Amino acid sequence: MKQLFEIYGWPLTTFFSACVALWLTILIVTPQFFMIELSLRFEDRGDRLTKIVNDLDVLYRDKGTKEYDLVNGPACNTTGMVNPMMTGDSSCAQFGEEDKLRLEQQVRELEDRIQSLLVEEQNLKEIKAQQFPYSVRNYTAMTGLHAWTLTKTVAFALIVTLIALAACYPVAYAVALRSGPVKTVILFTALFVPYAVNELMRIYAWLTVFDLHGLLNTLLVIAGFASFASDEVIIWYRFPGTVLVVLVYTYILFMVFPIYNTMATLDPNQVEAARDLGAKTWRIHWRVIIPHTKPGIAVGCIMTFMLAAGSFSVPYIITRGLQPKWFTQLIYDKFYESSNWNLGSAYSFTLLLICILFIFGVMAIFGVKLRQLAR
Amino acid sequence: MKAVETMDRGDALLNIFIGMFVMFMFLPLILMMLAAFNSASPPSVTSWEELTLAWFPRLLAEDRLIGCLQNSFRIAVFVVPASVLLGLSAAILLTRLEGQATNLLYACLISPMLTPGIVLGIATIVFWRHFGVGADLYTTIMAQTTFIASFPMLIIMARLQRQDRAQEEAALDLGASPFFLFRRVTFPFLLPAILTSAALAFLLSFENYNTTVFSIGGSCTLTTEIAAQARRAHTPVINALGVIFVTVTVIFSLVYTLRKQWEK
C-alpha cells in the first residue's frame, strides 16, 4: 500500500482502489450473494398465503366494478352514452332504487370478505416473518426429470472436454513443436479464424449439415439409404448426438490455444536432449512436454467444460424444440416463462457449484495453482 | 535409421490429423457461406438453384435486426470504457500490492472469467431487481462488464510486469508529482496494452450471447436476434450475415498475423 501511495499519490491510489471496490462489490460479490440468498427462500406456490393474495386480487376487482356501476349505472357512463363493452339494453332508465340497494348490499358483503381475508393475511405474514425464512427446499425439490437433465448436461460437458483434450493435444503439439516458422504462422491463422468467428454463426453453420435437405441427408440419398421423394430421411435434430457434435465444434478451440501457448514456451532443445539420451516418443511426451504444458491443459479443460456445461446457445439453436430441454434452457424458463426466480437461482447456483468443483478437481489432478492458470 | 523412419511416419500421421482437424473447423463455415449465394430458401448447398447476391441487400430491410445491432453498439459504448478502467485499476493494485490478501483479491477478480455466462446474467438481474431495475440494456451492460473487465486486467498486468521500475523512481527523484508521473510515464507505457484490451473488450461485448440473453429481458442485441431467428426459421438472410462476419474475421486475422510477422 505504501508503495502505491509513493508512486501514484493518494488521489490516484484512492481512485483506483474505489474502482476495484466497485467492481468487487456491485458486480462480482453482492450479485452472487443475492442470487444465493434468493435460492434459499422457498416459495410455496400452493400455500394458504398465495391463495389469499390471489383471492384478494379477484375481490378487489369485483368491488371496483360494482362501485363503478353504483356511481354510473351498470351500462352507462357519465355522458349517458351506452357503453359499447356492455351487452343488453339494461340502460340507465332501468337502473332503479332497488338495483342500487342490491348493489350496495353486494359491495358491503365484498368489503366484509376483504376485511376478513386481510386480517388472515396479516396473521399469516406475521407468522411467516417470525419463521426462519431460509431452507434448502429449492435444491431438494428438483424433480427426477430435471435431475436427469442436469446429469445429462454435465455428462455431455465432460465428454466434450475429453474429446477436445484428445484432439487438441496433438494439434497444439504439431503447431508448437513440429512445424517450421512459416507453417506455424499458417496453421495458427487457420485455427484462429474459426476461433474468432462469432459463436452463433459457428453454431448456425451446422444447420446446413443437419437440415432435412442438408448435407448429411443428401449424402444418404446419394448412397441410396434414404429418399427425399418418399420422405424417408432422418430428422437429425432429434438426436442428442447433434448437440454433442456442435458443442465439440463450438468450444474445442478454447482447448487448443491455452495448450499451444504453454507448449510454445518449451525450449525445443529439451525435447532434443531427451531424444538424444534415448527416450522414446511417448516418454518424451510423458516426462518432458506434458509436465511443462500442465497449466495450459488445466486452463483448456476448465474453459471447455465451463462453456459446454453453461452453453445456452447450442441446445437452443440446434434442438429446434425437437429434444427435451437442456439444463440451461430449464433455468431460462424459470426466469422468463414460469417466473419462479427462487428455483431458477437454485438451479443456476447448482451449475456454478459444479463448475467450481470441476475447477478444483482439475487443479488437484494437474497440481497447478490458481495464479498459474491465468497467463 | 529405423528411428528416423518411425518419426517421419509419426509426422505424416500428425499432418494428416491436423489437416482433417482444420477441415472439420472450416467445412461448416464454408457450407454456410456457399448457401448464402444460392437462391434456394431454406438455405442449401445440395439443391442448387441459382447463383445470386439477392440475400445481401435484404439484410438492410431487416429493421428489427438493425435496431438490435444499434443496441449492441449502445451496450459496447459503455462496456468498453468501464471494463478498461476497472481492469487498469485492478492491474495497478495487484502489481504493487503484496501478501496473501492480494492472492485472494486476484482470485476474486478473475473468477468471473471462470463462471458460466448465464450465471453472471442471472446474478445481475436478481441484484438489480432489489433496486427496482428491470432486465434491459442497463443490466446487460453490468453483467458484461463483470467478466469482460478481467481481460484488460490480465493484459495490462502482463505489461506492467515488464515495466522498468527505475524509470518511475528516477522521475520521482527528479521532483515529478505522482500525477505527472502517471500521465507522462506510466500511462504512455501502458497505452498499447490499453488499446489492445479496448479492442478485445469490444469484441467480447459485441459477440457475447450467453450472458446477454439472460440479462437483457425483452430487448435484443445482434446476437440474441440472430439466435432467435436461427431457431425460428432457417433463412438465407442469416447466411448472408454469416458471410460478412467470416470475411471481417478473416481480414482482421490476416492483418493481425502479418503485422506480428512484420514486427519481428
Side-chain angles (χ1 to χ4, degrees):
Chain A
M1 211 57 179
K2 199 170 141 256
Q3 217 187 4
L4 267 172
F5 277 112
E6 269 169 18
I7 291 174
Y8 298 107
W10 67 266
L12 275 176
T13 308
T14 317
F15 177 69
F16 292 143
S17 307
C19 286
V20 173
L22 277 181
W23 182 13
L24 255 184
T25 51
I26 295 183
L27 297 180
I28 300 177
V29 179
T30 328
Q32 292 296 332
F33 174 78
F34 275 36
M35 186 184 84
I36 296 168
E37 198 259 0
L38 190 66
S39 77
L40 292 173
R41 288 175 181 273
F42 182 72
E43 229 177 52
D44 193 345
R45 292 288 170 94
D47 69 352
R48 177 82 189 134
L49 188 60
T50 319
K51 195 169 177 322
I52 290 176
V53 171
N54 288 341
D55 287 354
L56 274 174
D57 270 354
V58 176
L59 290 175
Y60 275 125
R61 208 166 48 226
D62 280 0
K63 192 182 148 215
T65 318
K66 297 232 150 73
E67 279 171 347
Y68 182 87
D69 286 353
L70 254 182
V71 176
N72 302 308
C76 300
N77 55 26
T78 43
T79 54
M81 301 269 282
V82 173
N83 187 339
M85 295 301 286
M86 305 287 274
T87 49
D89 312 343
S90 53
S91 59
C92 314
Q94 289 169 332
F95 184 58
E97 275 306 304
E98 245 171 70
D99 297 310
K100 206 172 178 182
L101 284 175
R102 192 168 46 80
L103 267 179
E104 274 169 355
Q105 175 65 21
Q106 283 173 348
V107 168
R108 268 197 300 278
E109 275 167 19
L110 281 175
E111 210 136 82
D112 288 345
R113 282 180 61 196
I114 287 175
Q115 278 309 320
S116 70
L117 278 181
L118 277 177
V119 171
E120 197 183 346
E121 187 193 21
Q122 192 59 38
N123 288 339
L124 280 174
K125 270 190 176 161
E126 271 165 22
I127 292 170
K128 205 177 175 183
Q130 280 163 10
Q131 279 171 350
F132 186 65
Y134 300 116
S135 77
V136 289
R137 280 181 74 185
N138 282 324
Y139 293 90
T140 52
M142 199 187 277
T143 59
L145 183 67
H146 289 186
W148 167 240
T149 310
L150 175 63
T151 317
K152 203 170 66 174
T153 303
V154 173
F156 266 56
L158 282 174
I159 296 171
V160 169
T161 311
L162 286 178
I163 293 177
L165 182 59
C168 292
Y169 182 82
V171 170
Y173 172 66
V175 181
L177 296 172
R178 302 298 300 170
S179 310
V182 177
K183 197 175 155 197
T184 301
V185 171
I186 293 172
L187 280 177
F188 188 88
T189 314
L191 294 174
F192 188 77
V193 167
Y195 174 74
V197 169
N198 189 299
E199 174 187 334
L200 291 167
M201 283 306 169
R202 282 185 283 148
I203 301 167
Y204 177 77
W206 279 91
L207 297 187
T208 329
V209 177
F210 290 136
D211 247 3
L212 219 51
H213 289 255
L215 184 73
L216 272 181
N217 275 339
T218 310
L219 288 179
L220 282 181
V221 168
I222 291 169
F225 292 115
S227 146
F228 285 132
S230 55
D231 261 356
E232 281 172 27
V233 285
I234 298 173
I235 302 171
W236 292 97
Y237 300 121
R238 283 195 183 153
F239 300 109
T242 52
V243 177
L244 184 71
V245 170
V246 181
L247 278 175
V248 168
Y249 177 80
T250 313
Y251 300 120
I252 198 167
L253 291 170
F254 289 88
M255 184 73 92
V256 167
F257 287 102
I259 298 182
Y260 167 79
N261 284 338
T262 46
M263 221 184 249
T265 61
L266 178 67
D267 186 354
N269 289 327
Q270 281 192 29
V271 180
E272 281 309 308
R275 187 163 290 134
D276 288 347
L277 291 171
K280 289 206 171 63
T281 309
W282 67 268
R283 203 175 157 80
I284 296 174
H285 279 281
W286 190 248
R287 296 299 293 273
V288 180
I289 302 176
I290 292 180
H292 181 86
T293 318
K294 267 177 180 175
I297 296 176
V299 172
C301 289
I302 289 170
M303 293 307 284
T304 312
F305 178 84
M306 184 269 284
L307 290 168
S311 172
F312 179 74
S313 45
V314 173
Y316 180 71
I317 294 174
I318 292 297
T319 64
R320 305 185 87 67
L322 295 172
Q323 288 177 37
K325 284 194 168 156
W326 230 244
F327 194 65
T328 44
Q329 290 178 289
L330 289 182
I331 300 179
Y332 186 83
D333 289 351
K334 293 281 170 258
F335 282 89
Y336 288 105
E337 272 172 30
S338 65
S339 107
N340 188 343
W341 284 37
N342 306 52
L343 195 58
S345 299
Y347 281 15
S348 156
F349 187 57
T350 307
L351 185 68
L352 179 61
L353 272 183
I354 289 169
C355 288
I356 292 173
L357 281 180
F358 186 83
I359 291 174
F360 281 112
V362 165
M363 290 203 310
I365 290 172
F366 291 102
V368 289
K369 295 206 177 65
L370 197 65
R371 192 111 200 172
Q372 288 175 285
L373 287 185
R375 268 191 306 163
Chain B
M1 194 60 204
K2 199 154 183 273
V4 172
E5 261 173 36
T6 51
M7 259 173 58
D8 284 346
R9 205 183 303 150
D11 274 354
L13 274 176
L14 203 59
N15 280 336
I16 293 172
F17 179 75
I18 197 166
M20 281 166 61
F21 187 87
V22 171
M23 250 174 64
F24 172 69
M25 293 315 299
F26 274 95
L27 190 66
L29 292 175
I30 290 170
L31 290 177
M32 174 189 75
M33 289 165 75
L34 279 180
F37 298 99
N38 184 359
S39 63
S41 174
S44 170
V45 276
T46 44
S47 55
W48 195 267
E49 284 176 11
E50 213 179 307
L51 192 69
T52 178
L53 288 172
W55 302 114
F56 288 89
R58 286 274 291 278
L59 272 173
L60 295 174
E62 298 264 334
D63 289 337
R64 193 177 150 78
L65 199 69
I66 289 168
C68 297
L69 176 68
Q70 287 171 344
N71 281 347
S72 289
F73 282 115
R74 277 189 201 116
I75 290 171
V77 161
F78 289 97
V79 170
V80 172
S83 305
V84 172
L85 180 63
L86 295 182
L88 173 71
S89 307
I92 283 175
L93 287 199
L94 286 173
T95 317
R96 290 291 177 169
L97 289 176
E98 272 145 23
Q100 278 299 311
T102 315
N103 280 336
L104 181 68
L105 182 65
Y106 178 79
C108 284
L109 294 179
I110 62 158
S111 68
M113 291 172 84
L114 306 174
T115 308
I118 68 166
V119 178
L120 294 176
I122 288 167
T124 307
I125 56 171
V126 169
F127 176 76
W128 287 102
R129 191 178 67 158
H130 271 258
F131 306 100
V133 180
D136 204 345
L137 298 189
Y138 176 75
T139 44
T140 303
I141 291 170
M142 292 292 157
Q144 285 191 357
T145 308
T146 310
F147 81 95
I148 291 180
S150 303
F151 291 87
M153 179 182 98
L154 292 177
I155 294 174
I156 295 171
M157 248 174 101
R159 184 142 177 103
L160 266 176
Q161 272 155 4
R162 284 192 286 134
Q163 189 184 21
D164 183 6
R165 293 193 177 185
Q167 256 186 3
E168 292 177 333
E169 278 151 26
L172 287 175
D173 285 346
L174 291 171
S177 74
F179 187 74
F180 185 84
L181 169 73
F182 182 77
R183 200 164 59 89
R184 299 300 291 269
V185 179
T186 315
F187 188 76
F189 175 75
L190 291 180
L191 196 59
I194 288 174
L195 293 179
T196 310
S197 47
L200 183 66
F202 175 78
L203 280 180
L204 287 169
S205 165
F206 192 77
E207 307 227 319
N208 182 268
Y209 176 69
N210 288 316
T211 303
T212 305
V213 77
F214 272 77
S215 59
I216 203 160
S219 293
C220 62
T221 65
L222 182 66
T223 51
T224 64
E225 183 58 17
I226 292 173
Q229 290 205 15
R231 182 175 163 96
R232 266 204 309 275
H234 190 180
T235 110
V237 180
I238 302 289
N239 292 52
L241 191 60
V243 173
I244 296 173
F245 263 101
V246 176
T247 313
V248 170
T249 314
V250 169
I251 291 172
F252 270 96
S253 305
L254 287 179
V255 168
Y256 177 77
T257 323
L258 288 177
R259 250 193 65 188
K260 244 179 131 180
Q261 286 302 302
W262 184 68
E263 274 168 11
K264 277 184 195 169

